[in-house]
Amino acid sequence: IKFVSQKEGKNMALPTRNEVSDELKWDLSRVFKNDQEWEQEYKQVAQEIKNLSKFKGTLAKSGKELYEGITEILAINRRLEKVYVYATMSSDVDTSNTHYLGFVVKAQSLANQMSAAIAFVDPEILSIPAKTLTKFMQDEPRLENYRHRLEQITQKRPHTLPANEEKIIADAGDAMGTSANTFNVLTNSDMEYGYVQDEDGEMVQLSDGLYSLLIQSQDRNVCKNAFDVMYASYGQFKNSLASTLSGEVKAHNFNARVHKYNSAREAALSENSVPTAVYDTLIKEVNSHLDLLHRYVSLRKKILGLKDLQMYDMYVPLTGKPVLSYNFNEAKEEARKALAPLGEDYLKHVDYIFNNRVIDVVESQNKVTGAYSGGAYDTDPYELLNWEDNLDSLYTLVHETGHSVHSWYTRNTQPYVYGDYPIFVAEIASTTNENILTEYFLDKITDPKTRAFVLNHYLDSFKGTLFRQTQFAEFEQFIHEADANGQPLTADVLDEFYGDLNQRYYGDSVEPGGEIAMEWSRIPHFYYNFYVYQYATGFAAATALANKVVHGTDKERDAYINFLKSGSSDYPTEIMKRAGVDMTKADYLRDTFDTFEKRLNEFEKIVDELN
């Protein structure tokens, strides 16, 4: 995730939602025409959820009844997705809008009601003996459409409680999600950042988006002040934020424990049938290659000519001010050229996304930070951005468009039951686009200074994705294991572990200590239940796939497009094998580190020649 921003004038406040022009806003009227239509659908879905109790006790009777029950439940869930998406996306563009915050609360409550209403489904299916289920499949051929889904359910047999107990846990969903909700409201709405001087000496109010811009400033004082103000803001609430994080971890550990998993990590990975060995291999391989990160950090210190390299020095481009910048329209043109190796059919969907108000572009007051691709099975694959005219924004655009086209292919190829994809493969699709963009630049650019800038950008992206997200994964594993062992997750405990971990990753070239120990307090992904490791594995797998798309054959490109069409129709590691990457082995990680070292070598050489 890259945090970016848009400001018309550096000394002006961010625009309100109403001040943003329509062409830069997404058009949610294609989801529901208006709020009244949403309210009507909300009420109908709520009523139909209540009626789902009629299927309780019927699923194990016959193949026909099993098929009919699954089909109707999926149909209602499909409609619920649209209700949920409209509410959350309407709120995300202005989190201070209490009207849409109310929609979000209602949608979340409805989702929890749905979870509670269908809590009987998995236990009831698991009560069907294997031989009987086979006979059901023979008696009711339409069940073939759900074969893989049924396999996924029956694999959970050792971890599924009786239906009445699963319903209690589902009913507690609202309470269990309070910590994450509190974190989001506190950091997106209630927390106010202080003011800092920008490069022109003007006072501007800090935001997450502006922070990511100022931390890249060539003026070290600007970087330091932005860093200090950011962490001073979070530092005021660090005990509260330790409490919210601890509450979320406790919820993860509780769910894992009652479902008889050995750990929250095992429980989280089992949702996508990802072996924990994939996680362990990632951490092992990254730790065995930390010397490359130390080497890059040492080079950064040398190029910047610093005696005391600080963490706020990690983001300034080593080659000076950006030589590549794009406004939004220019970025769309450049992205289309870069993604050309993916073929005309792929570009057709890119064109639709770029030109039909599917993207919400600019940063405005109370808009959520960062970027994402969202939507539901029956909607466009909407994208939220916070645009700034820089190279990062272009990379963010191709990243989120990778998600969006993946969504389009999946939703238009797979039936609803398989019409989504696990995060494990989602990050592969998006990061493949980033790697293709890098290949595009390195193929066409010959000017040493510009080439050095692109290489620096790649090396920083690698640092921020493969190394940094694995660092986050190690921290996430620690906090869950510590809580499981009864250790209180106080702010001091979190600061100490995170500070030591950060020092181990970045090495002796960085000055120890400092506010970076509080970084855990501002990372929303720690609330996502073992999510972040997939950025790192996805980046590595994407390196291999980008090479196949750009330098390989039409057959290899077609294999990649087929991967995008697969959705959740098979286990993710199996889908990846068919795309040409075996993620159960370390080879793809080692190949990625080879690419990093090769580009680091070239960057060092160019820098020496330019000096």
Side-chain angles (χ1 to χ4, degrees):
I1 296 295
K2 298 177 177 64
F3 298 101
V4 293
S5 69
Q6 167 78 21
K7 291 176 71 67
E8 294 298 330
K10 293 180 180 179
N11 63 339
M12 296 174 62
L14 294 172
T16 65
R17 183 64 178 172
N18 290 336
E19 291 171 338
V20 177
S21 61
D22 285 347
E23 64 265 23
L24 296 176
K25 299 177 182 176
W26 52 29
D27 179 10
L28 298 185
S29 68
R30 297 201 292 270
V31 182
F32 289 102
K33 292 179 181 178
N34 48 46
D35 291 354
Q36 292 70 33
E37 188 177 63
W38 182 90
E39 291 272 16
Q40 182 179 2
E41 179 70 351
Y42 167 84
K43 292 176 182 177
Q44 291 179 357
V45 171
Q47 183 57 49
E48 294 191 22
I49 288 174
K50 292 178 181 178
N51 294 337
L52 287 175
S53 59
K54 68 184 178 183
F55 292 110
K56 190 172 182 178
T58 69
L59 302 183
K61 289 183 176 180
S62 70
K64 180 176 181 293
E65 288 177 285
L66 177 60
Y67 172 81
E68 291 175 348
I70 292 175
T71 300
E72 185 161 337
I73 288 168
L74 288 173
I76 295 171
N77 199 68
R78 183 170 173 174
R79 294 169 62 188
L80 171 62
E81 280 188 4
K82 282 186 66 177
V83 169
Y84 191 90
V85 160
Y86 183 87
T88 56
M89 292 176 65
S90 296
S91 178
D92 281 351
V93 295
D94 184 0
T95 58
S96 69
N97 186 315
T98 56
H99 173 70
Y100 287 119
L101 282 173
F103 274 27
V104 171
V105 171
K106 292 170 72 173
Q108 288 177 336
S109 178
L110 197 61
N112 288 326
Q113 290 173 40
M114 181 70 175
S115 295
I118 63 174
F120 70 90
V121 173
D122 285 10
E124 210 163 298
I125 291 174
L126 288 169
S127 73
I128 305 171
K131 290 184 179 179
T132 303
L133 186 57
T134 299
K135 187 175 187 306
F136 282 4
M137 300 285 291
Q138 294 170 346
D139 295 342
E140 178 51 80
R142 291 178 297 176
L143 276 175
E144 184 63 30
N145 296 333
Y146 302 135
R147 178 180 291 277
H148 178 60
R149 182 72 187 108
L150 291 170
E151 286 178 356
Q152 290 176 301
I153 293 172
T154 53
Q155 280 191 349
K156 295 181 181 179
R157 196 179 299 275
H159 305 289
T160 304
L161 305 177
N164 62 324
E165 295 179 22
E166 289 288 358
K167 185 177 186 304
I168 292 172
I169 294 172
D171 283 339
D174 276 336
M176 301 284 272
T178 299
S179 290
N181 289 338
T182 301
F183 171 83
N184 288 332
V185 171
L186 176 60
T187 56
N188 283 315
S189 294
D190 292 346
M191 186 183 294
E192 288 190 5
Y193 303 114
Y195 284 78
V196 295
Q197 280 190 328
D198 64 13
E199 291 179 299
D200 298 324
E202 298 177 350
M203 295 301 296
V204 292
Q205 186 172 15
L206 200 64
S207 67
D208 273 308
L210 182 58
Y211 173 78
S212 71
L213 184 64
L214 296 182
I215 203 69
Q216 298 179 63
S217 172
Q218 297 291 316
D219 185 335
R220 195 181 187 210
N221 287 327
V222 170
C223 295
K224 182 181 186 305
N225 291 338
F227 185 86
D228 289 345
V229 169
M230 172 62 72
Y231 282 99
S233 301
Y234 277 87
Q236 296 178 74
F237 299 98
K238 76 172 188 176
N239 291 316
S240 298
L241 294 168
S243 179
T244 60
L245 183 56
S246 176
E248 186 70 11
V249 169
K250 288 181 183 298
H252 297 165
N253 280 338
F254 169 78
N255 275 311
R257 185 168 62 252
V258 299
H259 288 105
K260 303 174 185 177
Y261 286 98
N262 293 319
S263 66
R265 185 183 68 148
E266 181 185 57
L269 270 63
S270 73
E271 289 298 313
N272 294 329
S273 299
V274 175
T276 55
V278 172
Y279 198 103
D280 293 333
T281 300
L282 170 69
I283 291 178
K284 178 182 177 182
E285 289 300 319
V286 168
N287 274 272
S288 68
H289 289 88
L290 282 179
D291 61 306
L292 290 174
L293 179 57
H294 296 168
R295 179 180 153 196
Y296 179 52
V297 171
S298 177
L299 176 64
R300 172 173 286 273
K301 183 176 183 179
K302 176 183 175 182
I303 293 173
L304 294 176
L306 298 174
K307 294 181 179 180
D308 62 330
L309 186 72
Q310 304 286 346
M311 286 304 297
Y312 55 75
D313 297 312
M314 286 296 163
Y315 301 97
V316 56
L318 295 177
T319 53
K321 284 186 175 293
V323 292
L324 296 173
S325 64
Y326 307 89
N327 63 36
F328 185 58
N329 287 329
E330 291 168 341
K332 290 190 293 184
E333 293 179 10
E334 199 74 355
R336 197 184 189 283
K337 294 175 185 176
L339 297 175
L342 288 161
E344 286 301 318
D345 190 67
Y346 190 99
L347 291 179
K348 178 177 67 176
H349 307 307
V350 170
D351 289 340
Y352 178 83
I353 292 164
F354 283 179
N355 300 307
N356 287 278
R357 291 187 59 195
V358 178
I359 304 176
D360 204 89
V361 182
V362 303
E363 184 179 16
S364 55
Q365 291 181 26
N366 301 307
K367 183 177 178 181
V368 298
T369 58
Y372 67 72
S373 171
Y377 186 82
D378 293 308
T379 75
D380 288 329
Y382 289 95
E383 295 179 22
L384 180 141
L385 303 177
N386 284 277
W387 188 263
E388 180 64 38
D389 291 348
N390 59 23
L391 189 63
D392 269 349
S393 292
L394 174 57
Y395 270 91
T396 299
L397 177 63
V398 298
H399 178 104
E400 300 307 337
T401 301
H403 284 309
S404 294
V405 180
H406 189 189
S407 296
W408 193 95
Y409 274 124
T410 291
R411 295 167 187 169
N412 285 273
T413 304
Q414 298 296 331
Y416 174 73
V417 65
Y418 306 128
D420 200 356
Y421 42 79
I423 296 299
F424 186 79
V425 297
E427 291 308 319
I428 295 171
S430 56
T431 313
T432 295
N433 274 17
E434 290 195 54
N435 278 273
I436 290 174
L437 179 59
T438 297
E439 291 279 353
Y440 165 76
F441 280 136
L442 293 178
D443 181 61
K444 78 167 189 173
I445 293 171
T446 57
D447 173 66
K449 290 184 178 180
T450 308
R451 193 171 181 83
F453 181 81
V454 172
L455 286 167
N456 178 206
H457 185 276
Y458 165 80
L459 296 171
D460 277 344
S461 295
F462 195 107
K463 169 178 65 69
T465 305
L466 208 150
F467 284 117
R468 179 176 165 84
Q469 301 302 327
T470 305
Q471 175 188 346
F472 286 174
E474 283 204 59
F475 178 76
E476 195 169 10
Q477 186 170 346
F478 162 74
I479 57 179
H480 285 83
E481 290 178 349
D483 176 75
N485 292 328
Q487 182 177 4
L489 296 180
T490 65
D492 288 343
V493 168
L494 297 172
D495 280 357
E496 181 180 2
F497 183 87
Y498 193 90
D500 291 344
L501 179 68
N502 191 78
Q503 195 65 38
R504 172 158 61 84
Y505 264 72
Y506 288 89
D508 295 337
S509 293
V510 177
E511 292 297 307
E515 290 82 356
I516 195 63
M518 290 192 298
E519 188 173 38
W520 59 266
S521 66
R522 57 179 294 260
I523 306 300
H525 293 73
F526 290 150
Y527 294 78
Y528 295 0
N529 198 8
F530 290 93
Y531 180 102
V532 294
Y533 84 96
Q534 297 164 113
Y535 285 121
T537 55
F539 187 96
T543 299
L545 290 174
N547 285 333
K548 292 176 185 294
V549 168
V550 175
H551 303 295
T553 64
D554 288 347
K555 183 178 179 181
E556 288 173 313
R557 182 189 65 191
D558 292 344
Y560 177 73
I561 298 298
N562 286 334
F563 148 68
L564 298 180
K565 295 178 179 179
S566 297
S568 57
S569 60
D570 201 348
Y571 301 111
T573 51
E574 295 303 311
I575 289 173
M576 288 306 303
K577 285 179 184 177
R578 290 198 294 273
V581 178
D582 187 347
M583 300 185 70
T584 63
K585 299 178 181 178
D587 295 353
Y588 77 105
L589 290 163
R590 293 169 185 165
D591 290 345
T592 300
F593 285 115
D594 287 344
T595 299
F596 178 84
E597 186 170 17
K598 175 184 175 183
R599 290 178 177 172
L600 178 57
N601 290 339
E602 182 183 354
F603 181 64
E604 288 175 329
K605 181 180 178 182
I606 293 176
V607 169
D608 287 342
E609 290 174 351
L610 290 175
N611 290 334

